[in-house]
Amino acid sequence: MVDAVFGLPLHPLVVHAVVVLLPLVALGVIALVLMPRWRARFAVPLLGLLVVGAVSAVVAMLAGDALAEVVGVPGTHRTWGVTLAFTAVGYLAAAGAWLWWVREADDEPSRAREVLGWLAAVLSMAVLVLTVLAGHSGSAAVWSGVADATPSPAPTMSGEASPSPPSATPSPSVERTDSTATPSRFGSPPATTTTGDGPITMATVEANATADSCWAAIDGFVYDLTDWIARHPGGPDRILALCGTDATAAFTAQHDGDAPPTAQLELLRLGPLA
């Protein structure tokens, strides 16, 4: 299926239809159950919105799986998203049938129709809750920690940046050189980043294993993932689990061959692993 529109991922675009239409329909169905005189006027429009909302939920789930292959799988968000998609299909069957049933005024409503209406109202409550949970978990996966992240120090009036506070975990000095790095199968940056004492040892990597200083070795190079913890689309826990380790297997299993993660990783390279 199409997983991008005008160069943008389809998932975050179609999600907007889901989080707007499904709650709107759910509230509308509850209102029609309680107010029979509104049914003939609003049943068909609500049915149309329900069809679009349910289809959008399924498309969002499929597009989300495609996006996860690139940026990683935000487990909690995917769980709620899949649950919402399947619930939306069931909701379309039950509430859709009821809306079609009540689209015309009826002076003698049947008991079966009223029972189906109350079932649709209960499903409406479930849809409301699942939409909130799926939407919140998706927002958390993208933005969690970003608002609390420490901004870069602003330049002073003299044009010099304010000094950064000392890190809780001491790190070796780093200097930039113009020599060419040994190519990695994940790509090579235009300039090498090496430590002042030469290649970085695994012991040094293991010493930087906290959220304040998170280093990881991947395919023979060392990367500083500290700033990426709060920015990782899959959530900070996925990066925290890699701090102080050789994360080659984990990165390869999740992102091997994917250009965007590889390019982002190269921006975080510190130097070769001893």
Side-chain angles (χ1 to χ4, degrees), residues 29 38 121 131 137 146-147 154 179 210 213 250:
V29 168
W38 293 352
T131 303
S137 60
V146 173
S179 59
T210 68
S213 182

Side-chain angles (χ1 to χ4, degrees), residues 22 25 29 46-47 49-55 58 84-102 112-113 115-117 119-121 123-124 127:
L22 287 184
V25 171
V29 168
L46 278 178
L47 177 57
L49 294 178
L50 174 55
V51 171
V52 176
V55 170
V58 174
L84 176 60
F86 281 98
T87 302
V89 173
Y91 185 54
L92 174 61
W98 182 76
L99 288 170
W100 182 256
W101 199 349
V102 302
R113 191 178 73 175
V115 170
L116 182 57
L119 174 61
L123 286 175
S124 296
V127 167

Side-chain angles (χ1 to χ4, degrees), residues 133-164:
L133 291 174
H136 179 268
S137 60
S139 298
V142 175
W143 298 106
S144 179
V146 173
D148 298 328
T150 303
S152 300
T156 62
M157 294 300 293
S158 62
E160 298 179 353
S162 301
S164 302

Side-chain angles (χ1 to χ4, degrees), residues 166-187:
S167 173
T169 304
S171 303
S173 60
V174 176
E175 64 180 30
R176 302 283 179 175
T177 69
D178 294 329
S179 59
T180 302
T182 303
S184 162
R185 60 194 173 99
F186 297 122

Side-chain angles (χ1 to χ4, degrees), residues 9 64 66-74 228 232-235 238 254-255 258 260-261:
L67 182 61
E69 294 178 0
V70 178
V71 301
V73 181
W228 190 242
H232 187 253
R238 290 182 174 271
Q254 188 65 52
H255 297 303
D258 296 330

